[in-house]
Short mmCIF file of all heavy atoms in Angstrom, two decimals:
data_model
loop_
_atom_site.label_atom_id
_atom_site.label_comp_id
_atom_site.label_asym_id
_atom_site.label_seq_id
_atom_site.Cartn_x
_atom_site.Cartn_y
_atom_site.Cartn_z
N TYR A 1 3.81 12.58 0.72
CA TYR A 1 5.19 12.88 0.45
C TYR A 1 5.29 14.01 -0.57
O TYR A 1 6.01 14.97 -0.36
CB TYR A 1 5.92 11.63 -0.05
CG TYR A 1 7.34 11.88 -0.44
CD1 TYR A 1 8.34 11.73 0.50
CD2 TYR A 1 7.69 12.29 -1.72
CE1 TYR A 1 9.66 11.98 0.17
CE2 TYR A 1 9.01 12.53 -2.06
CZ TYR A 1 9.98 12.38 -1.11
OH TYR A 1 11.30 12.62 -1.44
N ASP A 2 4.57 13.89 -1.66
CA ASP A 2 4.68 14.89 -2.73
C ASP A 2 4.22 16.29 -2.31
O ASP A 2 4.75 17.27 -2.79
CB ASP A 2 3.88 14.44 -3.96
CG ASP A 2 4.47 13.22 -4.63
OD1 ASP A 2 5.71 13.07 -4.58
OD2 ASP A 2 3.72 12.41 -5.17
N ARG A 3 3.28 16.36 -1.41
CA ARG A 3 2.74 17.66 -1.01
C ARG A 3 3.58 18.35 0.06
O ARG A 3 3.42 19.53 0.29
CB ARG A 3 1.31 17.48 -0.53
CG ARG A 3 0.42 17.01 -1.69
CD ARG A 3 -0.99 16.81 -1.27
NE ARG A 3 -1.57 18.14 -1.00
CZ ARG A 3 -2.77 18.31 -0.51
NH1 ARG A 3 -3.51 17.27 -0.21
NH2 ARG A 3 -3.22 19.51 -0.30
N ILE A 4 4.45 17.64 0.71
CA ILE A 4 5.31 18.25 1.74
C ILE A 4 6.43 19.00 1.02
O ILE A 4 7.15 18.44 0.22
CB ILE A 4 5.88 17.18 2.67
CG1 ILE A 4 4.76 16.46 3.41
CG2 ILE A 4 6.87 17.80 3.67
CD1 ILE A 4 5.21 15.25 4.18
N GLN A 5 6.58 20.26 1.34
CA GLN A 5 7.55 21.10 0.61
C GLN A 5 8.76 21.52 1.43
O GLN A 5 9.87 21.43 0.97
CB GLN A 5 6.84 22.35 0.07
CG GLN A 5 5.75 22.03 -0.91
CD GLN A 5 6.23 21.24 -2.12
OE1 GLN A 5 7.29 21.52 -2.67
NE2 GLN A 5 5.48 20.23 -2.51
N ASN A 6 8.57 22.01 2.62
CA ASN A 6 9.67 22.67 3.34
C ASN A 6 10.10 21.96 4.61
O ASN A 6 10.74 22.54 5.46
CB ASN A 6 9.25 24.10 3.68
CG ASN A 6 8.98 24.89 2.41
OD1 ASN A 6 9.74 24.80 1.45
ND2 ASN A 6 7.90 25.63 2.39
N LEU A 7 9.75 20.71 4.74
CA LEU A 7 10.15 19.93 5.91
C LEU A 7 10.95 18.73 5.48
O LEU A 7 10.77 18.21 4.37
CB LEU A 7 8.90 19.45 6.66
CG LEU A 7 7.99 20.52 7.24
CD1 LEU A 7 6.70 19.88 7.75
CD2 LEU A 7 8.69 21.24 8.37
N PRO A 8 11.82 18.25 6.34
CA PRO A 8 12.53 17.00 6.03
C PRO A 8 11.53 15.85 5.99
O PRO A 8 10.65 15.75 6.86
CB PRO A 8 13.51 16.83 7.18
CG PRO A 8 13.44 18.05 7.99
CD PRO A 8 12.23 18.82 7.61
N VAL A 9 11.66 15.00 4.99
CA VAL A 9 10.73 13.88 4.88
C VAL A 9 11.45 12.67 4.29
O VAL A 9 12.30 12.81 3.42
CB VAL A 9 9.48 14.27 4.05
CG1 VAL A 9 9.85 14.67 2.66
CG2 VAL A 9 8.45 13.15 4.03
N LEU A 10 11.10 11.51 4.82
CA LEU A 10 11.64 10.25 4.32
C LEU A 10 10.47 9.30 4.13
O LEU A 10 9.61 9.17 5.00
CB LEU A 10 12.61 9.63 5.33
CG LEU A 10 13.10 8.22 4.99
CD1 LEU A 10 14.23 8.28 3.99
CD2 LEU A 10 13.53 7.50 6.25
N ARG A 11 10.43 8.66 2.98
CA ARG A 11 9.44 7.62 2.72
C ARG A 11 10.22 6.38 2.35
O ARG A 11 10.92 6.36 1.33
CB ARG A 11 8.51 8.02 1.59
CG ARG A 11 7.46 6.98 1.32
CD ARG A 11 6.47 7.45 0.29
NE ARG A 11 5.42 6.46 0.19
CZ ARG A 11 4.92 6.03 -0.95
NH1 ARG A 11 5.37 6.52 -2.08
NH2 ARG A 11 3.99 5.13 -0.97
N ALA A 12 10.12 5.36 3.16
CA ALA A 12 10.88 4.13 2.91
C ALA A 12 9.99 2.93 3.26
O ALA A 12 9.29 2.95 4.26
CB ALA A 12 12.14 4.11 3.75
N TYR A 13 10.05 1.94 2.40
CA TYR A 13 9.32 0.72 2.70
C TYR A 13 10.05 -0.47 2.09
O TYR A 13 10.79 -0.34 1.13
CB TYR A 13 7.87 0.78 2.19
CG TYR A 13 7.71 1.08 0.72
CD1 TYR A 13 7.63 0.04 -0.21
CD2 TYR A 13 7.62 2.38 0.27
CE1 TYR A 13 7.47 0.30 -1.55
CE2 TYR A 13 7.47 2.65 -1.09
CZ TYR A 13 7.38 1.62 -1.99
OH TYR A 13 7.23 1.88 -3.33
N GLY A 14 9.84 -1.59 2.70
CA GLY A 14 10.50 -2.81 2.25
C GLY A 14 9.76 -3.43 1.07
O GLY A 14 8.54 -3.51 1.06
N ARG A 15 10.51 -3.85 0.07
CA ARG A 15 9.91 -4.51 -1.10
C ARG A 15 9.28 -5.84 -0.66
O ARG A 15 9.91 -6.64 0.00
CB ARG A 15 10.97 -4.78 -2.16
CG ARG A 15 11.55 -3.55 -2.77
CD ARG A 15 12.54 -3.93 -3.89
NE ARG A 15 13.32 -2.78 -4.30
CZ ARG A 15 12.92 -1.88 -5.19
NH1 ARG A 15 11.74 -1.99 -5.75
NH2 ARG A 15 13.69 -0.87 -5.52
N GLY A 16 8.05 -6.04 -1.05
CA GLY A 16 7.37 -7.29 -0.78
C GLY A 16 7.00 -7.50 0.68
O GLY A 16 6.63 -8.61 1.08
N VAL A 17 7.09 -6.46 1.50
CA VAL A 17 6.76 -6.58 2.92
C VAL A 17 5.36 -6.02 3.14
O VAL A 17 5.03 -4.95 2.63
CB VAL A 17 7.80 -5.82 3.79
CG1 VAL A 17 7.44 -5.91 5.25
CG2 VAL A 17 9.19 -6.36 3.53
N THR A 18 4.57 -6.70 3.91
CA THR A 18 3.20 -6.26 4.17
C THR A 18 3.16 -5.14 5.19
O THR A 18 4.20 -4.74 5.74
CB THR A 18 2.34 -7.43 4.66
OG1 THR A 18 2.87 -7.90 5.90
CG2 THR A 18 2.32 -8.56 3.64
N HIS A 19 1.96 -4.70 5.51
CA HIS A 19 1.76 -3.57 6.41
C HIS A 19 2.43 -3.77 7.78
O HIS A 19 2.88 -2.81 8.39
CB HIS A 19 0.25 -3.34 6.61
CG HIS A 19 -0.07 -2.25 7.56
ND1 HIS A 19 0.10 -0.92 7.25
CD2 HIS A 19 -0.52 -2.29 8.84
CE1 HIS A 19 -0.26 -0.19 8.28
NE2 HIS A 19 -0.63 -0.98 9.26
N GLY A 20 2.51 -4.98 8.24
CA GLY A 20 3.10 -5.24 9.56
C GLY A 20 4.61 -5.20 9.58
O GLY A 20 5.23 -5.33 10.63
N GLY A 21 5.22 -4.98 8.42
CA GLY A 21 6.68 -4.91 8.37
C GLY A 21 7.31 -6.24 8.76
O GLY A 21 6.77 -7.31 8.49
N THR A 22 8.43 -6.14 9.41
CA THR A 22 9.15 -7.33 9.85
C THR A 22 9.16 -7.44 11.36
O THR A 22 9.96 -8.18 11.94
CB THR A 22 10.61 -7.29 9.34
OG1 THR A 22 11.27 -6.15 9.90
CG2 THR A 22 10.67 -7.27 7.83
N TYR A 23 8.28 -6.71 12.02
CA TYR A 23 8.31 -6.66 13.48
C TYR A 23 8.00 -8.00 14.14
O TYR A 23 8.35 -8.20 15.30
CB TYR A 23 7.36 -5.57 13.99
CG TYR A 23 7.81 -4.20 13.57
CD1 TYR A 23 7.07 -3.45 12.65
CD2 TYR A 23 9.00 -3.67 14.06
CE1 TYR A 23 7.51 -2.20 12.26
CE2 TYR A 23 9.44 -2.42 13.67
CZ TYR A 23 8.69 -1.69 12.77
OH TYR A 23 9.10 -0.46 12.37
N ASN A 24 7.37 -8.93 13.44
CA ASN A 24 7.10 -10.25 14.02
C ASN A 24 8.32 -11.17 13.96
O ASN A 24 8.32 -12.23 14.55
CB ASN A 24 5.92 -10.92 13.32
CG ASN A 24 4.62 -10.30 13.70
OD1 ASN A 24 4.45 -9.81 14.81
ND2 ASN A 24 3.68 -10.28 12.77
N GLU A 25 9.36 -10.75 13.23
CA GLU A 25 10.57 -11.54 13.15
C GLU A 25 11.40 -11.35 14.41
O GLU A 25 11.18 -10.42 15.19
CB GLU A 25 11.39 -11.14 11.91
CG GLU A 25 10.69 -11.45 10.61
CD GLU A 25 11.45 -10.96 9.40
OE1 GLU A 25 12.63 -10.54 9.54
OE2 GLU A 25 10.87 -10.96 8.32
N ARG A 26 12.39 -12.19 14.58
CA ARG A 26 13.26 -12.08 15.74
C ARG A 26 13.86 -10.68 15.83
O ARG A 26 14.35 -10.13 14.84
CB ARG A 26 14.37 -13.12 15.64
CG ARG A 26 15.23 -13.17 16.86
CD ARG A 26 16.14 -14.37 16.82
NE ARG A 26 16.86 -14.41 18.08
CZ ARG A 26 18.14 -14.70 18.16
NH1 ARG A 26 18.82 -15.00 17.09
NH2 ARG A 26 18.73 -14.70 19.32
N ASN A 27 13.80 -10.10 17.01
CA ASN A 27 14.31 -8.74 17.29
C ASN A 27 13.70 -7.68 16.38
O ASN A 27 14.30 -6.63 16.16
CB ASN A 27 15.84 -8.70 17.20
CG ASN A 27 16.50 -9.54 18.26
OD1 ASN A 27 16.07 -9.56 19.41
ND2 ASN A 27 17.53 -10.26 17.88
N GLY A 28 12.52 -7.94 15.84
CA GLY A 28 11.83 -6.95 15.01
C GLY A 28 12.27 -6.94 13.57
O GLY A 28 11.80 -6.12 12.78
N GLY A 29 13.20 -7.80 13.20
CA GLY A 29 13.66 -7.87 11.82
C GLY A 29 14.32 -6.59 11.33
O GLY A 29 14.73 -5.73 12.12
N GLU A 30 14.39 -6.47 10.04
CA GLU A 30 15.09 -5.33 9.41
C GLU A 30 14.39 -3.99 9.72
O GLU A 30 15.06 -2.97 9.89
CB GLU A 30 15.18 -5.55 7.90
CG GLU A 30 16.12 -4.58 7.22
CD GLU A 30 16.38 -4.93 5.77
OE1 GLU A 30 15.72 -5.84 5.23
OE2 GLU A 30 17.23 -4.27 5.16
N PHE A 31 13.08 -3.99 9.80
CA PHE A 31 12.37 -2.74 10.10
C PHE A 31 12.78 -2.17 11.46
O PHE A 31 12.91 -0.97 11.61
CB PHE A 31 10.87 -2.96 10.07
CG PHE A 31 10.24 -2.84 8.72
CD1 PHE A 31 10.84 -3.37 7.60
CD2 PHE A 31 9.04 -2.20 8.57
CE1 PHE A 31 10.26 -3.27 6.34
CE2 PHE A 31 8.44 -2.07 7.32
CZ PHE A 31 9.05 -2.61 6.21
N ALA A 32 12.96 -3.04 12.44
CA ALA A 32 13.35 -2.57 13.77
C ALA A 32 14.72 -1.90 13.72
O ALA A 32 14.94 -0.87 14.36
CB ALA A 32 13.36 -3.72 14.76
N GLY A 33 15.64 -2.47 12.94
CA GLY A 33 16.95 -1.86 12.81
C GLY A 33 16.89 -0.48 12.20
O GLY A 33 17.61 0.45 12.61
N VAL A 34 16.02 -0.30 11.23
CA VAL A 34 15.84 1.00 10.60
C VAL A 34 15.23 1.98 11.60
O VAL A 34 15.67 3.13 11.70
CB VAL A 34 14.98 0.88 9.32
CG1 VAL A 34 14.63 2.25 8.77
CG2 VAL A 34 15.71 0.05 8.28
N ALA A 35 14.23 1.54 12.35
CA ALA A 35 13.61 2.41 13.35
C ALA A 35 14.62 2.85 14.40
O ALA A 35 14.67 4.03 14.78
CB ALA A 35 12.43 1.69 14.00
N VAL A 36 15.45 1.94 14.86
CA VAL A 36 16.47 2.28 15.86
C VAL A 36 17.48 3.24 15.24
O VAL A 36 17.91 4.20 15.89
CB VAL A 36 17.16 1.01 16.40
CG1 VAL A 36 18.40 1.35 17.22
CG2 VAL A 36 16.18 0.21 17.23
N GLY A 37 17.85 3.03 13.99
CA GLY A 37 18.76 3.96 13.32
C GLY A 37 18.19 5.37 13.25
O GLY A 37 18.89 6.34 13.49
N TRP A 38 16.91 5.46 12.93
CA TRP A 38 16.26 6.77 12.85
C TRP A 38 16.26 7.46 14.22
O TRP A 38 16.60 8.64 14.33
CB TRP A 38 14.82 6.61 12.35
CG TRP A 38 14.12 7.93 12.16
CD1 TRP A 38 13.29 8.54 13.04
CD2 TRP A 38 14.23 8.81 11.04
NE1 TRP A 38 12.86 9.73 12.53
CE2 TRP A 38 13.42 9.91 11.30
CE3 TRP A 38 14.93 8.74 9.84
CZ2 TRP A 38 13.28 10.96 10.40
CZ3 TRP A 38 14.79 9.80 8.94
CH2 TRP A 38 13.98 10.89 9.22
N VAL A 39 15.92 6.74 15.26
CA VAL A 39 15.93 7.30 16.61
C VAL A 39 17.33 7.72 17.00
O VAL A 39 17.54 8.81 17.55
CB VAL A 39 15.34 6.29 17.62
CG1 VAL A 39 15.62 6.71 19.06
CG2 VAL A 39 13.85 6.12 17.40
N ASN A 40 18.32 6.88 16.71
CA ASN A 40 19.69 7.23 17.07
C ASN A 40 20.15 8.50 16.36
O ASN A 40 20.86 9.31 16.94
CB ASN A 40 20.64 6.07 16.75
CG ASN A 40 20.52 4.96 17.76
OD1 ASN A 40 20.02 5.15 18.86
ND2 ASN A 40 20.97 3.78 17.38
N TRP A 41 19.76 8.67 15.12
CA TRP A 41 20.14 9.88 14.37
C TRP A 41 19.36 11.09 14.87
O TRP A 41 19.95 12.11 15.24
CB TRP A 41 19.91 9.67 12.89
CG TRP A 41 20.15 10.90 12.05
CD1 TRP A 41 21.11 11.85 12.23
CD2 TRP A 41 19.40 11.32 10.92
NE1 TRP A 41 21.03 12.82 11.27
CE2 TRP A 41 19.98 12.51 10.46
CE3 TRP A 41 18.31 10.79 10.24
CZ2 TRP A 41 19.49 13.20 9.34
CZ3 TRP A 41 17.85 11.48 9.13
CH2 TRP A 41 18.43 12.66 8.70
N GLN A 42 18.05 10.98 14.89
CA GLN A 42 17.21 12.12 15.19
C GLN A 42 17.25 12.55 16.67
O GLN A 42 17.21 13.74 16.97
CB GLN A 42 15.76 11.84 14.78
CG GLN A 42 15.57 11.72 13.30
CD GLN A 42 15.86 13.03 12.60
OE1 GLN A 42 15.32 14.08 12.94
NE2 GLN A 42 16.70 12.98 11.59
N LEU A 43 17.30 11.59 17.57
CA LEU A 43 17.22 11.94 18.99
C LEU A 43 18.56 11.91 19.72
O LEU A 43 18.71 12.57 20.74
CB LEU A 43 16.24 11.00 19.70
CG LEU A 43 14.80 11.03 19.18
CD1 LEU A 43 13.93 10.08 19.97
CD2 LEU A 43 14.24 12.44 19.20
N LYS A 44 19.51 11.17 19.17
CA LYS A 44 20.80 11.06 19.84
C LYS A 44 21.93 11.73 19.07
O LYS A 44 23.06 11.77 19.52
CB LYS A 44 21.15 9.58 20.08
CG LYS A 44 20.19 8.89 21.00
CD LYS A 44 20.62 7.45 21.22
CE LYS A 44 19.72 6.74 22.18
NZ LYS A 44 20.15 5.34 22.40
N GLY A 45 21.63 12.23 17.85
CA GLY A 45 22.65 12.91 17.06
C GLY A 45 23.75 12.01 16.55
O GLY A 45 24.86 12.48 16.29
N ASP A 46 23.47 10.74 16.37
CA ASP A 46 24.46 9.77 15.91
C ASP A 46 24.75 9.97 14.43
O ASP A 46 23.90 9.68 13.58
CB ASP A 46 23.91 8.36 16.17
CG ASP A 46 24.91 7.26 15.84
OD1 ASP A 46 25.82 7.48 15.02
OD2 ASP A 46 24.75 6.16 16.38
N SER A 47 25.92 10.47 14.11
CA SER A 47 26.27 10.78 12.72
C SER A 47 26.44 9.51 11.88
O SER A 47 26.22 9.54 10.66
CB SER A 47 27.54 11.63 12.66
OG SER A 47 28.62 10.96 13.26
N ARG A 48 26.79 8.40 12.49
CA ARG A 48 26.89 7.14 11.73
C ARG A 48 25.49 6.65 11.32
O ARG A 48 25.31 6.15 10.23
CB ARG A 48 27.61 6.06 12.54
CG ARG A 48 29.08 6.29 12.65
CD ARG A 48 29.81 5.16 13.33
NE ARG A 48 28.95 4.43 14.26
CZ ARG A 48 29.15 3.18 14.60
NH1 ARG A 48 30.17 2.51 14.15
NH2 ARG A 48 28.34 2.59 15.47
N ALA A 49 24.52 6.78 12.23
CA ALA A 49 23.15 6.37 11.91
C ALA A 49 22.57 7.24 10.79
O ALA A 49 21.78 6.77 9.98
CB ALA A 49 22.28 6.45 13.15
N ARG A 50 23.00 8.48 10.72
CA ARG A 50 22.54 9.41 9.67
C ARG A 50 22.84 8.84 8.28
O ARG A 50 22.06 9.01 7.35
CB ARG A 50 23.26 10.75 9.85
CG ARG A 50 22.98 11.76 8.79
CD ARG A 50 23.85 13.01 9.05
NE ARG A 50 23.66 13.99 8.01
CZ ARG A 50 24.32 14.03 6.88
NH1 ARG A 50 25.26 13.12 6.61
NH2 ARG A 50 24.07 14.95 5.97
N LEU A 51 23.95 8.14 8.14
CA LEU A 51 24.36 7.59 6.84
C LEU A 51 23.39 6.54 6.30
O LEU A 51 23.39 6.25 5.11
CB LEU A 51 25.76 6.99 6.95
CG LEU A 51 26.87 7.95 7.34
CD1 LEU A 51 28.18 7.20 7.52
CD2 LEU A 51 26.99 9.06 6.32
N LEU A 52 22.53 6.02 7.16
CA LEU A 52 21.52 5.07 6.72
C LEU A 52 20.43 5.77 5.90
O LEU A 52 19.78 5.15 5.08
CB LEU A 52 20.90 4.40 7.95
CG LEU A 52 19.97 3.23 7.75
CD1 LEU A 52 20.65 2.08 6.99
CD2 LEU A 52 19.44 2.74 9.09
N PHE A 53 20.27 7.09 6.09
CA PHE A 53 19.14 7.82 5.52
C PHE A 53 19.49 8.94 4.55
O PHE A 53 18.65 9.31 3.73
CB PHE A 53 18.30 8.42 6.66
CG PHE A 53 17.87 7.42 7.67
CD1 PHE A 53 18.53 7.29 8.88
CD2 PHE A 53 16.84 6.54 7.41
CE1 PHE A 53 18.15 6.35 9.82
CE2 PHE A 53 16.43 5.59 8.33
CZ PHE A 53 17.09 5.50 9.54
N VAL A 54 20.68 9.51 4.65
CA VAL A 54 20.99 10.74 3.92
C VAL A 54 21.94 10.50 2.76
O VAL A 54 22.94 9.79 2.90
CB VAL A 54 21.58 11.80 4.88
CG1 VAL A 54 21.99 13.05 4.13
CG2 VAL A 54 20.58 12.14 5.97
N GLY A 55 21.64 11.12 1.63
CA GLY A 55 22.50 11.09 0.46
C GLY A 55 22.10 10.00 -0.53
O GLY A 55 21.40 9.06 -0.20
N PRO A 56 22.54 10.16 -1.77
CA PRO A 56 22.19 9.21 -2.83
C PRO A 56 22.74 7.80 -2.58
O PRO A 56 22.23 6.82 -3.12
CB PRO A 56 22.76 9.82 -4.09
CG PRO A 56 23.82 10.74 -3.63
CD PRO A 56 23.41 11.23 -2.27
N GLU A 57 23.78 7.69 -1.79
CA GLU A 57 24.37 6.39 -1.48
C GLU A 57 24.05 5.95 -0.05
O GLU A 57 24.81 5.19 0.55
CB GLU A 57 25.89 6.44 -1.70
CG GLU A 57 26.29 6.76 -3.12
CD GLU A 57 25.87 5.67 -4.10
OE1 GLU A 57 26.04 4.48 -3.79
OE2 GLU A 57 25.35 6.02 -5.17
N CYS A 58 22.94 6.47 0.48
CA CYS A 58 22.59 6.12 1.87
C CYS A 58 22.39 4.62 2.01
O CYS A 58 22.12 3.92 1.03
CB CYS A 58 21.35 6.89 2.30
SG CYS A 58 19.77 6.28 1.67
N GLY A 59 22.53 4.13 3.22
CA GLY A 59 22.42 2.70 3.46
C GLY A 59 21.12 2.10 2.96
O GLY A 59 21.12 1.03 2.34
N LEU A 60 20.01 2.75 3.21
CA LEU A 60 18.73 2.26 2.70
C LEU A 60 18.64 2.42 1.19
O LEU A 60 18.04 1.58 0.52
CB LEU A 60 17.56 2.98 3.36
CG LEU A 60 17.19 2.58 4.77
CD1 LEU A 60 16.00 3.40 5.25
CD2 LEU A 60 16.89 1.11 4.87
N CYS A 61 19.19 3.49 0.68
CA CYS A 61 19.09 3.79 -0.76
C CYS A 61 19.76 2.71 -1.62
O CYS A 61 19.29 2.43 -2.73
CB CYS A 61 19.71 5.14 -1.07
SG CYS A 61 18.97 6.51 -0.18
N VAL A 62 20.82 2.14 -1.14
CA VAL A 62 21.55 1.15 -1.93
C VAL A 62 21.15 -0.29 -1.57
O VAL A 62 21.63 -1.23 -2.20
CB VAL A 62 23.09 1.33 -1.79
CG1 VAL A 62 23.51 2.70 -2.29
CG2 VAL A 62 23.54 1.12 -0.36
N ASN A 63 20.25 -0.43 -0.62
CA ASN A 63 19.77 -1.75 -0.23
C ASN A 63 18.64 -2.17 -1.16
O ASN A 63 17.61 -1.50 -1.22
CB ASN A 63 19.28 -1.70 1.23
CG ASN A 63 18.85 -3.04 1.75
OD1 ASN A 63 18.40 -3.90 1.01
ND2 ASN A 63 18.97 -3.21 3.05
N PRO A 64 18.79 -3.24 -1.90
CA PRO A 64 17.77 -3.64 -2.88
C PRO A 64 16.46 -4.08 -2.25
O PRO A 64 15.45 -4.20 -2.95
CB PRO A 64 18.43 -4.79 -3.64
CG PRO A 64 19.47 -5.33 -2.71
CD PRO A 64 19.93 -4.15 -1.91
N HIS A 65 16.43 -4.27 -0.94
CA HIS A 65 15.19 -4.66 -0.27
C HIS A 65 14.30 -3.47 0.07
O HIS A 65 13.19 -3.64 0.54
CB HIS A 65 15.50 -5.43 1.03
CG HIS A 65 16.22 -6.69 0.82
ND1 HIS A 65 17.39 -7.01 1.47
CD2 HIS A 65 15.98 -7.72 -0.02
CE1 HIS A 65 17.81 -8.19 1.06
NE2 HIS A 65 16.96 -8.63 0.16
N TRP A 66 14.80 -2.25 -0.16
CA TRP A 66 14.08 -1.04 0.22
C TRP A 66 13.78 -0.13 -0.95
O TRP A 66 14.59 -0.02 -1.87
CB TRP A 66 14.88 -0.26 1.27
CG TRP A 66 14.86 -0.94 2.60
CD1 TRP A 66 15.70 -1.95 3.00
CD2 TRP A 66 13.96 -0.71 3.67
NE1 TRP A 66 15.36 -2.35 4.26
CE2 TRP A 66 14.30 -1.59 4.71
CE3 TRP A 66 12.91 0.18 3.85
CZ2 TRP A 66 13.60 -1.63 5.91
CZ3 TRP A 66 12.23 0.15 5.05
CH2 TRP A 66 12.58 -0.75 6.07
N VAL A 67 12.66 0.56 -0.87
CA VAL A 67 12.31 1.64 -1.80
C VAL A 67 12.34 2.92 -0.97
O VAL A 67 11.68 2.99 0.07
CB VAL A 67 10.90 1.43 -2.40
CG1 VAL A 67 10.52 2.60 -3.29
CG2 VAL A 67 10.83 0.11 -3.15
N VAL A 68 13.13 3.89 -1.40
CA VAL A 68 13.36 5.08 -0.59
C VAL A 68 13.16 6.34 -1.42
O VAL A 68 13.67 6.44 -2.54
CB VAL A 68 14.79 5.09 -0.01
CG1 VAL A 68 15.05 6.32 0.83
CG2 VAL A 68 15.05 3.83 0.80
N ARG A 69 12.44 7.28 -0.85
CA ARG A 69 12.37 8.65 -1.37
C ARG A 69 12.60 9.58 -0.19
O ARG A 69 12.06 9.36 0.89
CB ARG A 69 11.00 8.93 -1.98
CG ARG A 69 10.76 8.15 -3.26
CD ARG A 69 9.40 8.42 -3.82
NE ARG A 69 9.31 9.80 -4.32
CZ ARG A 69 8.17 10.40 -4.61
NH1 ARG A 69 7.02 9.78 -4.44
NH2 ARG A 69 8.16 11.65 -5.04
N SER A 70 13.39 10.60 -0.39
CA SER A 70 13.61 11.57 0.67
C SER A 70 13.87 12.94 0.08
O SER A 70 14.25 13.07 -1.08
CB SER A 70 14.80 11.13 1.55
OG SER A 70 16.00 11.19 0.81
N LYS A 71 13.65 13.93 0.89
CA LYS A 71 13.98 15.30 0.51
C LYS A 71 14.15 16.14 1.77
O LYS A 71 13.59 15.85 2.82
CB LYS A 71 12.92 15.90 -0.41
CG LYS A 71 11.52 15.94 0.12
CD LYS A 71 10.56 16.42 -0.96
CE LYS A 71 9.12 16.30 -0.51
NZ LYS A 71 8.18 16.69 -1.55
N ASN A 72 14.97 17.15 1.64
CA ASN A 72 15.24 18.10 2.71
C ASN A 72 15.90 17.47 3.93
O ASN A 72 15.82 18.03 5.01
CB ASN A 72 13.97 18.85 3.12
CG ASN A 72 13.32 19.54 1.96
OD1 ASN A 72 13.97 20.09 1.08
ND2 ASN A 72 11.99 19.52 1.91
N LEU A 73 16.52 16.32 3.77
CA LEU A 73 17.26 15.73 4.89
C LEU A 73 18.69 16.26 4.84
O LEU A 73 19.30 16.31 3.79
CB LEU A 73 17.29 14.19 4.79
CG LEU A 73 15.96 13.47 4.93
CD1 LEU A 73 16.18 11.98 4.80
CD2 LEU A 73 15.30 13.79 6.25
N HIS A 74 19.21 16.61 6.00
CA HIS A 74 20.57 17.16 6.06
C HIS A 74 21.39 16.45 7.10
O HIS A 74 20.96 15.92 8.03
CB HIS A 74 20.56 18.65 6.37
CG HIS A 74 19.73 19.43 5.41
ND1 HIS A 74 20.13 19.70 4.12
CD2 HIS A 74 18.49 19.93 5.53
CE1 HIS A 74 19.18 20.38 3.52
NE2 HIS A 74 18.17 20.53 4.34
#
């Protein structure tokens, strides 16, 4: 993350969640919802899904279950 300079980058992980994430939970758990949100924003241009990732008050940023760092996201 720190070495990436001129590309959009997001680093997000769940507090207290192991390497497997929440994918073993029903419907993939919270991680699956985040993955679907990313796909909807990046591949489908969904402006509502964008709000999960962009800005200081982004959905993940204000969620106490997540640790988020991002830069160059627009």
